[in-house]
Amino acid sequence: MGRVTRRHPVQHLESSTSRRRLETLAVEEPLEIRINGEPLLVTMRTPGDDIDLVHGLLLSESVVRLRSDVAGARYCDGAGRDGRNTYNVLDVRLAGHMMPPLPELRRKVLMTSACGICGTTTIEQVLSASAFRLPAMVTIPPDVVLNAPDQLRSRQRGFDQTGGLHAAGLLSTDGALICVREDVGRHNAVDKVVGWALREERLPLANSILVVSGRASFELTQKAVLAGIPLLAAVSAPSSLAVDLAHQAGLTLVGFVRGQTMNIYTHPERIRNPAVRTSI
């Protein structure tokens, strides 16, 4: 299996001194995904939890909805210069009742780790593709949301070594950390978490919170909606389209969760008894 990190020599400058030293880098490698032996797409990712990644990605692309839609997934033979398997080609076999993806979804393109591979580009398409209705009656204590980034940060082992990995985590509504995944791509980290939940037959994630280490993009919001997650918490800002999608989908979107402060952009009724002071 490919390593998550590797060492690289750098010239380190500090004040008036300079010295050579080894730094730890986050590994970024391509993963070719095949469906029933046919190439679907290539994405860049950090090796590890690839099976989770592919399940989450196929859910976000509306190729599958349940664990039973997938008959199996395995690495294909693919040797590097050293003759060893690169573990960079993964073939997913769909269950017999599943139709293969439409030809237009077979995008044989190299995607960068900063960009997702969502085919859904409009709010209406996301809402129509969602198999789960977000629960309106779920309420979450404010402290659970405020503590979520710290809980996530405590499990970011790859980031501790490299400073170059995003993270996503699932928490229960009472604050218990359930699953954490890291990747060079923030969308991959979320796909790994959601894919894990799909494989564990936990969907819809109606009693869960998704916390991400960076900003909340439209794409990450989409993935939360499709997984049936009622609340998305981000350390940084959301985009305008993420806010629009969250509003229409019924998702509580929270940004700038830092210390004892946060901004609730949509559906604040899920945050239990927040102190409200209007100064606008």
Side-chain angles (χ1 to χ4, degrees), residues 103-154:
E104 54 264 33
L105 282 179
R106 298 184 180 277
R107 287 161 292 170
K108 304 172 189 177
V109 293
L110 184 67
M111 308 300 294
T112 71
S113 60
C115 175
I117 41 185
C118 284
T120 306
T121 55
T122 67
I123 292 174
E124 291 77 12
Q125 286 175 310
V126 175
L127 298 180
S128 64
S130 178
F132 310 118
R133 183 180 296 276
L134 300 186
M137 300 305 294
V138 170
T139 57
I140 301 157
D143 286 349
V144 168
V145 182
L146 291 170
N147 292 333
D150 288 340
Q151 290 205 68
L152 180 67
R153 182 66 186 86
S154 71

Side-chain angles (χ1 to χ4, degrees), residues 3 18 21 25 41 43 50 53 77 82 127 165-166 169 177 196 200 202 206 237 263 269 278:
R3 293 180 299 174
S18 174
R21 73 181 191 187
L25 303 179
L41 54 87
T43 187
D50 289 335
L53 168 62
D77 294 335
D82 58 3
L127 298 180
L165 289 174
H166 294 283
L177 193 59
W196 170 85
E200 293 290 317
R202 290 174 176 253
N263 291 344
E269 63 273 10
T278 302

Side-chain angles (χ1 to χ4, degrees), residues 11-271:
Q11 193 76 26
H12 180 71
L13 303 179
E14 185 174 353
S15 299
S16 58
T17 63
S18 174
R19 63 188 178 91
R20 296 277 288 177
R21 73 181 191 187
L22 288 175
E23 287 288 322
T24 303
L25 303 179
V27 170
E28 182 177 30
E29 292 181 353
L31 177 67
E32 179 184 335
I33 300 170
R34 299 177 182 176
I35 301 293
N36 298 336
E38 295 294 325
L40 177 68
L41 54 87
V42 177
T43 187
M44 302 301 293
R45 96 304 188 195
T46 298
D49 301 305
D50 289 335
I51 304 296
D52 290 343
L53 168 62
V54 170
H55 278 74
L57 189 153
L58 293 180
L59 176 74
S60 71
E61 291 288 335
S62 299
V63 176
V64 303
R65 291 189 173 185
L66 302 170
R67 177 182 178 180
S68 58
D69 293 339
V70 179
R74 67 177 183 85
Y75 289 101
C76 302
D77 294 335
R81 293 181 179 179
D82 58 3
R84 297 181 180 180
N85 195 322
T86 60
Y87 295 99
N88 284 340
V89 182
L90 193 60
D91 187 31
V92 177
R93 288 185 300 106
L94 298 180
H97 65 276
M98 296 296 295
M99 295 293 293
L102 296 173
E104 54 264 33
L105 282 179
R106 298 184 180 277
R107 287 161 292 170
K108 304 172 189 177
V109 293
L110 184 67
M111 308 300 294
T112 71
S113 60
C115 175
I117 41 185
C118 284
T120 306
T121 55
T122 67
I123 292 174
E124 291 77 12
Q125 286 175 310
V126 175
L127 298 180
S128 64
S130 178
F132 310 118
R133 183 180 296 276
L134 300 186
M137 300 305 294
V138 170
T139 57
I140 301 157
D143 286 349
V144 168
V145 182
L146 291 170
N147 292 333
D150 288 340
Q151 290 205 68
L152 180 67
R153 182 66 186 86
S154 71
R155 295 274 296 276
Q156 290 180 243
R157 307 292 185 240
F159 182 84
D160 287 340
Q161 298 179 60
T162 67
L165 289 174
H166 294 283
L170 281 177
L171 291 86
S172 64
T173 52
D174 61 4
L177 193 59
I178 303 168
C179 178
V180 174
R181 295 290 185 266
E182 291 182 285
D183 200 278
V184 288
R186 59 172 59 89
H187 58 284
N188 288 340
V190 172
D191 278 337
K192 288 178 177 181
V193 163
V194 171
W196 170 85
L198 188 153
R199 295 177 65 212
E200 293 290 317
E201 299 185 322
R202 290 174 176 253
L203 297 185
L205 290 163
N207 293 300
S208 300
I209 299 168
L210 176 64
V211 56
V212 295
S213 60
R215 63 185 178 85
S217 65
F218 170 80
E219 182 182 14
L220 301 194
T221 307
Q222 169 193 331
K223 294 177 187 296
V225 170
L226 293 177
I229 298 170
L231 189 148
L232 169 59
V235 173
S236 296
S239 69
S240 62
L241 193 57
V243 172
D244 291 345
L245 173 57
H247 174 71
Q248 294 194 39
L251 173 79
T252 299
L253 180 58
V254 185
F256 292 109
V257 186
R258 302 173 183 178
Q260 293 302 304
T261 65
M262 59 180 168
N263 291 344
I264 308 173
Y265 291 86
T266 60
H267 298 282
E269 63 273 10
R270 284 202 184 89
I271 307 297

